[in-house]
DNA sequence: CCCTATGTTCAACGTTTATTGAACTATTGA
DNA sequence: TCAATAGTTCAATAAACGTTGAACATAGGG
């Protein structure tokens, strides 16, 4: 198990890859939930997304999100804590992430985004 | 040849499909060039994109762009004139199209977007 | 009326993608 | 030390995707 997963530098983040990454419903849901966590400046770990797909399938989507530069993974013991690369994304593509997240929020029921049901944390 | 291609209604436009459509470099270039034409409120026809790919490949991408609700095709004689569905997209996903187009403009060289070279019109 | 220009449709192809379960690695706590 | 927990990696599969060329449809100009 590699200790610290590879992430692209800010300048290596490419628009088509980001859009492709966001176009998958499961990955969009992950990004959406991470965006909700931003507001309380906390992180989520893999297990918090178990409502979206199976473990190995989630690992696949996490890798995609990491490789395209959308999120950052921090290894802490047996957990992986994740957060959006907000600053890098806003610098490279101003307004894009917010537009996507707000659009997703508008269609939350259609996209089956119910973060408040899945994300239970705080204990 | 069907007289008027099918387009989704405004409400049928889905975020993941739009993002997926925009994630292909050729389609992103098409959308980018259509956005440039918006500013002089004119349309482009298929032949104007011949620098991007072969005819049948372009037809494939045009169909995708139409089916996901990104653009509108108007049949006029032997030509097809196309334009962005700006109003519908802004209504469904506020700020998204502009964010994508501005981000693409920032990376114009990396994405090989050179509309002023390809799009020669006005005669 | 034919010929040309414009664009679509179709079949074929190789590639990439998402999803699954099983095997694996690493860390923590008893 | 042993077992449980958290997550990754791998191989296999089926579906979707992008690209190509050939055939086709349609409209307009000589």
């Amino acid at each position: 198990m590699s200790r610290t997963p590879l992430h692209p530098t800010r300048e290596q983040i490419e628009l088509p890859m980001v859009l492709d990454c966001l176009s998958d419903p499961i990955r969009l849901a992950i990004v959406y939930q991470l965006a909700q966590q931003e507001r309380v400046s906390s992180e989520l770990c893999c297990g918090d997304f178990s409502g979206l797909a199976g473990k190995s399938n989630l690992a696949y989507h996490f890798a995609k999100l990491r490789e395209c530069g959308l999120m950052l993974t921090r290894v802490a013991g047996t957990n992986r804590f994740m957060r959006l690369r907000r600053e890098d994304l806003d610098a490279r593509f101003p307004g894009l992430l917010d537009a996507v997240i707000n659009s997703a929020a508008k269609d939350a029921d259609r996209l089956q985004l119910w973060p408040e049901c899945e994300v239970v944390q705080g204990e």
Side-chain angles (χ1 to χ4, degrees), chain A:
Chain A
M1 215 181 260
S2 52
R3 292 309 333 267
T4 309
L6 287 172
H7 300 84
T9 69
R10 173 183 290 191
E11 278 309 310
Q12 285 171 344
I13 302 178
E14 306 261 15
L15 182 57
M17 288 186 183
V18 166
L19 295 174
D20 184 50
C21 229
L22 292 168
S23 75
D24 180 274
I26 292 183
R27 290 193 294 260
L28 184 57
I30 293 170
V31 166
Y32 185 75
Q33 292 190 191
L34 289 176
Q36 304 307 113
Q37 289 305 304
E38 269 189 327
R39 305 190 305 183
V40 289
S41 62
S42 70
E43 301 164 300
L44 289 177
C45 63
C46 306
D48 295 320
F49 300 92
S50 55
L52 295 174
K55 270 172 49 164
S56 68
N57 190 217
L58 281 178
Y60 166 76
H61 288 300
F62 292 146
K64 286 245 148 186
L65 286 163
R66 242 186 290 113
E67 287 161 13
C68 87
L70 267 166
M71 74 179 206
L72 204 126
T73 301
R74 180 174 64 85
V75 179
T78 175
N79 289 306
R80 259 98 166 136
F81 289 100
M82 310 188 291
R83 61 180 186 276
L84 289 181
R85 291 181 64 176
R86 163 68 64 178
E87 289 205 3
D88 291 323
L89 292 163
D90 284 351
R92 288 282 287 121
F93 314 123
L96 179 63
L97 193 55
D98 282 331
V100 170
I101 289 165
N102 292 334
S103 298
K106 279 187 58 180
D107 281 21
D109 45 352
R110 201 188 295 199
L111 297 171
Q112 296 175 300
L113 304 174
W114 301 111
E116 57 279 16
C117 299
E118 306 291 351
V119 183
V120 183
Q121 62 134 37
E123 67 280 306

